[in-house]
Amino acid sequence: MATPRPPPRTRARPSRPAAAHARPGSGGSGGGRAGGSMAEPLRAFRLRGCGSPQKFGVAAGSLRGLLRKGCRLLQLPLPGSRLCLYEDGTEVTESYFRALPPQTELVLLGPGETWRGCASDIEGFLAAFYNQRDAVVEAARQLLTDEQAPRRQRLLADLIHNLNENSLAEDKEDDKKWFEGLESRFKNKSSYMRYSCESRMRSYMKEVSSFISNVHPTARDAYKRIIDLMSDKLRSVKYNGCYFDRREEEAVRLCTAEGWFSCQGPFDRDDCPCKHSINPYGNRESRILFSTWNLDHIIEKKRAVVPELAEAVKTRDGREVNWEYFYQLLFTVDNLKLVHIACHKKTNHNLSCDKTKIYRKRKQNHKIS
């Protein structure tokens, strides 16, 4: 029977004094404190760099020790480097470090680098989305195929919808899918968008015209003359179709040169609290969804403007009705706000026309003696 071999002999390594790792008063990792107290216990943290999502597990007992290990790991210079919280960018001090729980996620910043918390990651995600749009869309489609959770389905579908656009294309030949369901006479996107705005203005004019049945019989002829003047004015400006045409000058269009529209907020606010935006030039679905956005009358058309016009014609008593003032309220952005359907408040606005502008001021004739 073979005799068992004895285990190999190992050389014992002399333990190094703890004080050899610490600087006086630093509280460093593995270091001693004044009075010979025990070294701080090691705690594990999740560490990442500013420009990479990759995370590393690093254990240290002090801020300086963690900095030193992190800089060595990420190949950053120790002077000028610092640590901050991933979630909000708070810079970590030595005293704050002692209060951090294990596994806290930290970002190591090199000289000159900044971190604004999760917002920095979002900026990075957005840049990646648009720099690698086609790859992101394809990956999202593959994930959506097997996804069962409704919330994740919605997020993936919205991502695909927003990235899968061709807003730079203008002509039908370059984006045939955008024109599906439209009349063949539309050869480019801007011509259809212009027509869309013109159609809204025509519908407003039709409402004003149909109100004549509610006008006092003695004032209907005068009301009809004002309708004719407004119609002529609308035709001369091509029904303000310029509002939706991205080819128009910036001063007159409601969108950017790329075709992005921003909600202007409810009638009683100066802006949109939800920051709604849409680019109907981007894809067919956005074009269809844009039809649900409203050109909302701040001073309401049905409740205030049109009834006030009818009353002004009835009670003019020789005065000239300032039809151009009513025209501005009905058909121009002086009284129109482009709003997302969620910002379209259908309650009573409780706003009325300016009484000082309903009639034209009479010219004073001064006799020269």
Side-chain angles (χ1 to χ4, degrees), residues 40-64:
E40 290 282 357
L42 296 180
R43 287 176 294 151
F45 296 93
R46 289 178 293 165
L47 189 64
R48 55 174 284 180
C50 181
S52 172
Q54 187 176 7
K55 302 172 187 177
F56 300 90
V58 180
S62 70
L63 175 61
R64 183 166 183 80

Side-chain angles (χ1 to χ4, degrees), residues 182-229:
L182 300 182
E183 296 177 34
S184 59
R185 63 190 174 100
F186 297 111
K187 305 302 181 183
N188 57 64
K189 295 179 180 180
S190 295
S191 64
Y192 173 77
M193 292 302 298
R194 191 177 190 94
Y195 166 79
S196 173
C197 187
E198 292 172 358
S199 297
R200 299 187 190 213
M201 297 300 170
R202 286 189 174 93
S203 70
Y204 300 160
M205 188 73 250
K206 187 175 181 180
E207 289 183 53
V208 178
S209 299
S210 63
F211 195 81
I212 195 168
S213 60
N214 299 306
V215 177
H216 193 276
T218 60
R220 286 178 182 173
D221 287 344
Y223 187 86
K224 178 65 168 58
R225 286 193 294 271
I226 289 177
I227 290 176
D228 291 340
L229 289 170

Side-chain angles (χ1 to χ4, degrees), residues 11-25:
R11 295 175 59 187
R13 294 185 180 181
S15 60
R16 291 190 290 179
H21 295 280
R23 296 183 181 181

Side-chain angles (χ1 to χ4, degrees), residues 240-360:
N240 287 327
C242 56
Y243 291 160
F244 289 179
D245 189 344
R246 66 179 177 180
R247 300 170 302 182
E248 287 286 349
E249 295 295 326
E250 183 178 359
V252 297
R253 53 178 158 82
L254 294 177
C255 61
T256 67
E258 295 77 22
W260 281 98
F261 291 83
S262 296
C263 175
Q264 296 174 322
F267 76 93
D268 53 356
R269 287 189 56 125
D270 293 330
D271 57 7
C272 173
C274 300
K275 305 300 180 185
H276 294 121
S277 64
I278 190 171
N279 188 345
Y281 288 85
N283 51 47
R284 179 174 176 270
E285 183 177 345
S286 292
R287 168 176 65 78
I288 295 171
L289 287 174
F290 185 68
S291 65
T292 66
W293 285 49
N294 291 274
L295 279 172
D296 187 27
H297 290 83
I298 302 172
I299 302 175
E300 295 171 280
K301 175 177 77 272
K302 291 182 178 179
R303 288 193 178 108
V305 181
V306 177
E308 187 68 59
L309 173 60
E311 183 66 18
V313 173
K314 175 186 173 183
T315 59
R316 66 190 185 282
D317 191 23
R319 293 173 291 181
E320 183 181 358
V321 175
N322 186 7
W323 68 268
E324 290 178 320
Y325 168 63
F326 288 98
Y327 171 88
Q328 290 174 339
L329 295 181
L330 290 166
F331 306 110
T332 75
V333 291
D334 288 352
N335 189 48
L336 289 171
K337 296 182 77 173
L338 181 66
V339 296
H340 184 278
I341 189 171
C343 288
H344 186 205
K345 295 183 178 180
K346 296 185 178 181
T347 56
N348 195 325
H349 294 187
N350 292 315
L351 297 172
S352 58
C353 302
D354 186 344
K355 299 295 184 183
T356 66
K357 296 181 179 180
I358 291 177
Y359 298 102
R360 294 186 186 277

Side-chain angles (χ1 to χ4, degrees), residues 70-86:
C71 287
R72 188 162 55 243
L73 180 66
L74 299 179
Q75 298 182 347
L76 291 174
L78 182 59
S81 293
R82 60 204 188 282
L83 289 164
C84 67
L85 294 182
Y86 165 78

Side-chain angles (χ1 to χ4, degrees), residues 124-135:
F125 292 154
L126 291 175
F129 287 161
Y130 286 98
N131 291 336
Q132 305 176 46
R133 186 180 66 179
D134 293 342

